[in-house]
Amino acid sequence: MADTTAPRAFVVISGKAVHEALDGCEEELLDLVEHGYLLHGDGSTVNPPSYFLRFPDRPSDRIIALPASVGGDVAVSGIKWISSFPANVEKGIPRASAVVVLNDQETGYPLACLEGSVISAVRTAASAALAAVKLGAGRPKPRKLGIVGTGLIARFVHTHLRAAGVECEEVGLFDHSAEHARGFAGYLARAGAPRTTVHDDLESLVRSSDLLLFATTAGTPHVEDPAWFVHHPLVLHVSLRDLSPEVVLDSCNVVDDVEHCLKAATSVHLAEQATGNRDHVHTTLYDVLTGRFTPPNDRTVVFSPFGLGVLDLVVSRHVYDRNTDGVVVDDFFHELSRYGG
């Protein structure tokens, strides 16, 4: 007998609906992202390399495809298609935009298309906050959080750090745009953050912070002196390309996935090219989560998350399952009869 099972209705979930599904759920999202890391480390995911669409006449712009599949209780496949156009910031719109498409595991039919920039920001922020908690477990409570790059990702990371219980007495800011730094300071004041200092130079911020977040659009390293890190801070290197190979080689390096992170001219990739080996990559966050590796307290610890598509899918599935405001496109799939008629 022919299989007459029809695909599920296709749903479009707007950015507003995504935001409403995720806003205020930071603690739950931390658990979701940790669950995603554990599924990945246990071999319950498929996460091929990311694919970069680049433009020869615009080398700073790119669009990236992150295909993935997650098993276990998430049970979904899909892809995130995310663009990064840094010049957007000067136009008054965010640098990144994205969509996520989810596919049914049984039939392969698309289930939904979700606005993906918030999903991407949330999974990045939750990953960084989770790392701050787990990698900082044996360290004294951080007194000062230093934020380098004061855009949307920094805002989301700050929110998730607070939800994870990472509260600092002071927040220091550095951005090449003084206007952006002042704007972020205004956000912190509205959010009830403690004392905020805007730094005129990056070195003073790095040297005075015991927890550092790099969330810039840097394409090449601009922090080159390991002496800036002599106090051994915990570094959330979300933007991946800020630190020179010298700084990387002087640190304990934790990544989300070795094969993914050591490519595309990330700082850890440049260190591999400089040395010809991967000895500077000490472990993955999965090994920390499962107790297989304990980060040292007497070295700078750098967390470099390349960003796994499986995390986008875990968060997207969460939104899809709780969606009440999506637009159902009933006739999206039209030709469903093999022989017509």
Side-chain angles (χ1 to χ4, degrees), residues 41-101:
D42 289 340
S44 299
T45 66
V46 180
N47 204 111
S50 301
Y51 297 91
F52 287 71
L53 174 62
R54 299 188 183 275
F55 308 91
D57 59 330
R58 291 170 286 141
S60 65
D61 297 341
R62 63 185 186 270
I63 308 178
I64 311 171
L66 288 82
S69 182
V70 186
D73 54 352
V74 179
V76 75
S77 298
I79 190 168
K80 180 175 74 173
W81 180 240
I82 182 166
S83 68
S84 175
F85 283 53
N88 283 350
V89 175
E90 301 306 319
K91 301 172 184 176
I93 59 176
R95 169 187 60 85
S97 59
V99 294
V100 176
V101 175

Side-chain angles (χ1 to χ4, degrees), residues 274-323:
T275 62
N277 62 65
R278 297 181 171 185
D279 294 346
H280 57 285
V281 179
H282 295 84
T283 193
T284 64
L285 186 58
Y286 173 78
D287 287 335
V288 176
L289 294 175
T290 54
R292 300 178 186 182
F293 183 86
T294 300
N297 296 328
D298 57 352
R299 285 190 75 182
T300 299
V301 175
V302 178
F303 176 56
S304 298
F306 194 77
L308 299 176
V310 296
L311 299 183
D312 295 293
L313 295 192
V314 169
V315 175
S316 297
R317 182 66 197 241
H318 175 81
V319 173
Y320 174 79
D321 288 342
R322 287 153 183 77
N323 167 63

